[in-house]
Amino acid sequence: MIPRTYTDRIVAPSLLAADFSRIGEETSRAINAGADWMHLDVMDGHFVDNISFGPAVIAAVHATNDVFLDVHLMISRPDHYLERFIEAGSDLISVHVEATHDVSETLKRTRDAGVQAGLVINPATPLSEAEPYLDQIDLLLVMTVVPGFGGQSFMAETMPKIEQAAALRAERGLSYHIEVDGGIDPKTAPIAAKAGANAFVAGSSTFKAPDMAAAIQSIREA
Ligand code: DX5
Ligand code: ZN
């Protein structure tokens, strides 16, 4: 696996938009189409109004393919389940600042296990909520939809937070990726890239595209 920095463009297709009856093949299809990371959306039916999959499915993806696993935990108690997601083979685990846990402690435990740590803010959450933790993270995920479902429309009003996060990164000499998630396609990715995002999660616009490789390439070239 090639290590990536925040100056690299990363496209992470979300498995949520894949055919769940063929998860291994769908992951291979994304990798062959040029995916840099696979984005795995874990939903507990409590933190968000949807239930997706858990550590067993992530372990299955990990067993079938050698790809960087970008795991997004939309669960109320990430601290309680953390070890199970680490053991499943996650390379990066992102937790929501809005969830019920000691955020600093969860990030520390993640990094101590040799896994990259990400922090997520919802569209309604100001960047100031994430600010105290910026020196503890490898990735900041700025949600561009209200999490829970694929196929929603991109919220451009979240872009100022990306600009602020990029400015703070430079000011503080940090190096976290800035990732966007929700409604990302070849039309919206350039808007997020211009604001300062370098990692692009894309579900519907990649897995459901007639030509997945072309879709991934046009998002990367945004
Ligand atoms: C939203 C998830 C996203 C979702 C994106 O709750 O966190 O990762 O899969 O799907 P699209 O790209 O279809 O908006
Ligand atoms: Zn996600």
Side-chain angles (χ1 to χ4, degrees):
M1 259 179 290
I2 315 154
R4 313 283 173 150
T5 73
Y6 73 89
T7 57
D8 296 320
R9 284 286 172 85
I10 295 159
V11 181
S14 168
L15 195 70
L16 198 63
D19 176 352
F20 278 12
S21 71
R22 307 165 52 249
I23 280 175
E25 292 96 316
E26 286 284 80
T27 305
S28 304
R29 183 163 77 91
I31 296 166
N32 293 334
D36 301 288
W37 294 354
M38 281 306 293
H39 184 81
L40 302 175
D41 286 305
V42 178
M43 304 177 178
D44 66 354
H46 184 74
F47 184 76
V48 291
D49 189 28
N50 196 6
I51 300 176
S52 57
F53 50 78
V57 168
I58 294 173
V61 173
H62 180 62
T64 53
N65 283 281
D66 179 32
V67 62
F68 186 99
L69 300 182
D70 168 28
V71 174
H72 176 192
L73 298 184
M74 286 162 275
I75 65 178
S76 292
R77 290 292 310 276
D79 55 336
H80 181 72
Y81 291 99
L82 190 68
E83 273 69 32
R84 288 178 242 189
F85 288 101
I86 291 168
E87 276 158 31
S90 307
D91 294 288
L92 185 151
I93 298 179
S94 294
V95 296
H96 274 260
V97 75
E98 304 89 358
T100 308
H101 61 131
D102 179 333
V103 174
S104 183
E105 186 61 26
T106 306
L107 297 170
K108 184 180 182 308
R109 280 168 54 205
T110 305
R111 279 185 157 180
D112 285 351
V115 172
Q116 294 187 42
L119 188 61
V120 197
I121 52 173
N122 277 335
T125 304
L127 181 66
S128 57
E129 301 280 323
E131 260 193 67
Y133 313 107
L134 295 180
D135 61 346
Q136 282 192 273
I137 61 173
D138 301 291
L139 176 143
L140 178 74
L141 168 49
V142 177
M143 290 306 301
T144 43
V145 297
V146 176
F149 298 90
Q152 304 184 77
S153 299
F154 176 78
M155 297 167 69
E157 59 267 39
T158 59
M159 293 301 101
K161 290 194 286 189
I162 294 176
E163 290 166 8
Q164 290 162 26
L168 275 174
R169 180 175 62 198
E171 236 170 70
R172 299 189 187 177
L174 299 171
S175 58
Y176 49 81
H177 296 279
I178 300 177
E179 186 175 60
V180 283
D181 183 7
I184 299 297
D185 61 26
K187 282 203 179 70
T188 56
I191 303 169
K194 191 161 172 275
N198 70 293
F200 304 85
V201 176
S204 318
S205 70
T206 56
F207 275 105
K208 293 182 170 38
D211 182 344
M212 194 179 198
I216 289 176
Q217 195 183 336
S218 57
I219 292 169
R220 187 180 292 106
E221 285 169 1

